[in-house]
Amino acid sequence: MLLVANTLICLAIALRTALFVRTGTYRLSIASIAYAITVAAGSDIVLRIYHIAGPPSNADLFFKLIVLVALLRAKGNVAIVLSLKRNHQ
């Protein structure tokens, strides 16, 4: 059950960050962080499905859920999640 929940949460994180459409100025640092989040969430799915990594703990799942909620509230904008963009609503 934890494996399925972890996979769905990581999939949602990867899709939300990958499908974010940027408006405004391009900042390499924010784009790099967003790319790292996308790759980390995607690779976590692959590693757990092929049993390279062990099963996720409850704390691991809780942390990923908090990251997912933050990304959904910010509509996928990593700059807002990191509070680097001040004029958001």
Side-chain angles (χ1 to χ4, degrees):
M1 184 63 188
L2 286 178
L3 185 62
V4 172
N6 182 66
T7 303
L8 293 176
I9 290 171
C10 285
L11 180 64
I13 290 171
L15 287 176
R16 189 62 210 145
T17 53
L19 298 177
F20 174 70
V21 178
R22 177 191 50 83
T23 58
T25 60
Y26 177 80
R27 296 194 307 200
L28 181 62
S29 59
I30 301 300
S32 299
I33 293 170
Y35 180 76
I37 291 171
T38 305
V39 170
S43 66
D44 186 81
I45 295 170
V46 173
L47 291 175
R48 301 225 192 248
I49 286 177
Y50 288 110
H51 302 289
I52 297 170
S57 66
N58 290 335
D60 188 28
L61 202 63
F62 182 70
F63 179 74
K64 289 175 186 172
L65 188 61
I66 289 174
V67 170
L68 176 61
V69 169
L71 281 169
L72 290 176
R73 285 183 53 110
K75 298 177 183 158
N77 193 341
V78 174
I80 291 175
V81 171
L82 298 175
S83 297
L84 297 175
K85 187 173 182 182
R86 299 289 179 207
N87 56 355
H88 63 276
Q89 299 198 0

